[in-house]
Amino acid sequence: MNLEQVFKQYKEESIHGRYITLALIEPLLHKLNTNKQLKIIGKSVLGKPIYSYTIGKGKTKIFLWSQMHGNESTTTKALFDFLNVLQGDSEIAQQLLSSFTFCAIPMLNPDGATLYTRENANKVDLNRDSQELSQPESKLLRATFESFSPDYCFNLHDQRTIFGLSETGKPATLSFLAPSYNEKREINESRLKAINLIAMINEKLQPYLPDQIGRFDDSFNINCIGDTFQYLGVPTLLFEAGHFSNDYQREETRKYVFMSLILSFKILFENDIVVNGIDKYLSISQNKVIFYDFMYKNIKINYDGIEIITNFAAQYKEELIENQVCFIAYISQIGDLEDKLGHLEYDAKGALYKDDFDNIPKLDQKADFYLDNNVKFVNGMIKI
């Protein structure tokens, strides 16, 4: 199977970029509702409908949810690409629909999606609410889990551009995790199933995304939904969509999430799962905080007549301005940047730093400055 070609064929072109809201996906859900697969399972804090979409007639039940965090939209795009496959008449669609029943909640947190925030409208992180179930969205997710009784859970998220792989010096474009079910991080039957599946996904995805796949931290937190579902005995996989070079809109990353979903279910369909994949799983590079969006090296700064050479880094903050996600670069670290990398790195070779204030970089200051008066940086990048 040519996964690149499958993605091009079924990509949902009507949604793109980072700002994915309920208003954008509702028409798609109704378009996909060809046989009463769509259901409103409840409402958000602000009264917006939360939908589930169920398709297939297979014995193995797959539960997927996305945008639990409103500003994590990459997997939502990939999920719609995947649902387009299931609505097609290809061989893979027929195989998957006969083997699996899929229940997807494409947008668990529509209020957070509109506000482009991690939390819901009550400023609660839904991924820390799996025990208290204090929010309507958390209750709906748990109720759907219990009524659907899945065999596998797919917990779909985004991660920040700061994550990478120390061994390769590359960004962690995708990271996976079989969440722990207890404090000791032991491996029981359900967690082993998730581990085995992730080991195979990684193996089959490497030719498409070499050295850019990470393993997320498995510290146990029963308040997290993935840990809770694993604790309840259902194999759960965490997907974290990360950064691909120059892909801040995450359209390339979207493709690899799509490929991972197709591979997941193809592996399960073909029973192409390693018996004990623990070693293969643990060999996946650990996801670590090693990146800044920008790194500036060998910058000359004049401190009251004393010149020093230093480094500093800048990081984008994602700000919603007039219904558009804008990436605004702010200085985030000054001095020793040992063991850190920049998605974009600039060696000033001793050029003198100047700005419109007091010619000294400061934390949380916008990354607008000059080097030797003849190179201008605006929003972190050289202005041509």
Side-chain angles (χ1 to χ4, degrees):
M1 178 189 295
N2 187 328
L3 291 177
E4 294 270 4
Q5 187 59 44
V6 174
F7 174 71
K8 289 179 182 177
Q9 181 177 355
Y10 291 101
K11 180 182 179 182
E12 181 50 62
E13 298 286 356
S14 69
I15 51 175
H16 51 82
R18 299 293 287 275
Y19 191 49
I20 306 298
T21 64
L22 183 62
L24 288 175
I25 70 166
E26 270 187 317
L28 301 178
L29 288 170
H30 291 297
K31 179 182 176 182
L32 290 168
N33 190 27
T34 56
N35 192 26
K36 298 181 180 179
Q37 302 102 324
L38 190 64
K39 179 182 178 183
I40 296 177
I41 57 174
K43 293 186 177 182
S44 68
V45 171
L46 298 181
K48 293 179 180 174
I50 296 174
Y51 293 91
S52 69
Y53 182 85
T54 305
I55 188 171
K57 54 184 179 181
K59 180 180 178 182
T60 304
K61 296 180 180 180
I62 307 292
F63 185 33
L64 314 94
W65 63 96
S66 184
Q67 253 171 305
M68 167 177 275
H69 296 140
N71 59 354
E72 298 181 3
S73 58
T74 306
T75 55
T76 304
K77 296 183 293 185
L79 184 54
F80 276 98
D81 302 333
F82 174 68
L83 293 179
N84 282 346
V85 172
L86 297 183
Q87 279 287 345
D89 57 2
S90 65
E91 181 181 358
I92 185 65
Q94 294 172 15
Q95 290 172 344
L96 297 185
L97 291 173
S98 64
S99 299
F100 303 101
T101 299
F102 298 94
C103 177
I105 301 177
M107 185 176 287
L108 182 65
N109 183 6
D111 299 340
T114 299
L115 297 169
Y116 200 70
T117 61
R118 178 180 174 90
E119 298 85 5
N120 73 346
N122 285 334
K123 299 188 182 302
V124 172
D125 185 337
L126 300 178
N127 203 27
R128 300 294 184 273
D129 192 40
S130 70
Q131 293 302 299
E132 290 187 14
L133 297 176
S134 66
Q135 301 302 302
E137 300 91 346
S138 308
K139 293 174 183 176
L140 289 172
L141 181 66
R142 182 62 176 267
T144 305
F145 169 84
E146 291 178 350
S147 63
F148 184 61
S149 188
D151 296 292
Y152 285 88
C153 289
F154 286 71
N155 186 10
L156 308 177
H157 287 265
D158 277 50
Q159 66 181 7
R160 297 172 60 198
T161 60
I162 59 177
F163 290 103
L165 311 174
S166 299
E167 295 86 344
T168 67
K170 294 183 178 181
T173 301
L174 284 183
S175 292
F176 298 100
L177 174 68
S180 299
Y181 77 95
N182 66 5
E183 290 282 356
K184 295 180 180 179
R185 309 183 195 184
E186 294 173 321
I187 297 174
N188 60 359
E189 182 181 355
S190 66
R191 191 180 184 205
L192 182 59
K193 286 183 178 180
I195 284 172
N196 290 341
L197 182 52
I198 289 171
M200 290 305 299
I201 295 169
N202 174 65
E203 185 174 295
K204 292 180 179 296
L205 193 61
Q206 280 293 337
Y208 297 96
L209 191 63
D211 303 323
Q212 289 182 238
I213 301 171
R215 177 168 50 87
F216 206 77
D217 175 59
D218 67 349
S219 298
F220 178 70
N221 184 347
I222 193 62
N223 296 307
C224 294
I225 196 67
D227 301 49
T228 292
F229 287 172
Q230 198 85 278
Y231 169 80
L232 293 173
V234 179
T236 300
L237 289 77
L238 172 71
F239 281 42
E240 292 279 355
H243 185 64
F244 188 89
S245 181
N246 297 316
D247 179 38
Y248 282 92
Q249 297 302 322
R250 300 217 167 154
E251 291 300 308
E252 280 294 309
T253 302
R254 163 192 195 164
K255 176 177 70 175
Y256 296 115
V257 175
F258 170 83
M259 289 180 175
S260 301
L261 290 172
I262 292 288
L263 287 171
S264 299
F265 308 127
K266 193 168 185 293
I267 290 165
L268 289 172
F269 169 76
E270 295 175 350
N271 198 27
D272 187 18
I273 299 179
V274 63
V275 175
N276 193 330
I278 297 173
D279 289 342
K280 287 186 175 182
Y281 174 76
L282 293 177
S283 72
I284 301 172
S285 297
Q286 184 76 43
N287 200 48
K288 294 181 180 178
V289 177
I290 61 171
F291 272 101
Y292 293 101
D293 289 316
F294 301 98
M295 187 178 291
Y296 311 97
K297 298 179 178 180
N298 302 310
I299 306 286
K300 183 187 292 183
I301 300 175
N302 190 323
Y303 279 105
D304 295 327
I306 301 174
E307 293 182 341
I308 66 168
I309 300 295
T310 190
N311 312 299
F312 68 90
Q315 192 71 22
Y316 279 134
K317 291 183 181 179
E318 299 165 24
E319 300 179 9
L320 186 63
I321 302 173
E322 295 182 351
N323 291 325
Q324 183 175 349
V325 177
C326 298
F327 294 84
I328 313 297
Y330 294 87
I331 295 173
S332 56
Q333 186 64 268
I334 303 168
D336 182 12
L337 299 176
E338 188 177 355
D339 299 326
K340 299 294 184 182
L341 301 169
H343 293 300
L344 187 152
E345 296 188 1
Y346 186 88
D347 188 347
K349 299 178 180 178
L352 182 65
Y353 174 95
K354 291 189 176 182
D355 58 31
D356 294 330
F357 304 102
D358 53 9
N359 300 322
I360 297 173
K362 291 183 174 62
L363 294 179
D364 297 322
Q365 179 176 294
K366 286 188 177 181
D368 300 332
F369 57 92
Y370 305 85
L371 293 177
D372 281 348
N373 286 327
N374 56 15
V375 180
K376 184 177 183 180
F377 286 77
V378 176
N379 201 31
M381 294 187 288
I382 295 175
K383 186 174 183 181
I384 306 299

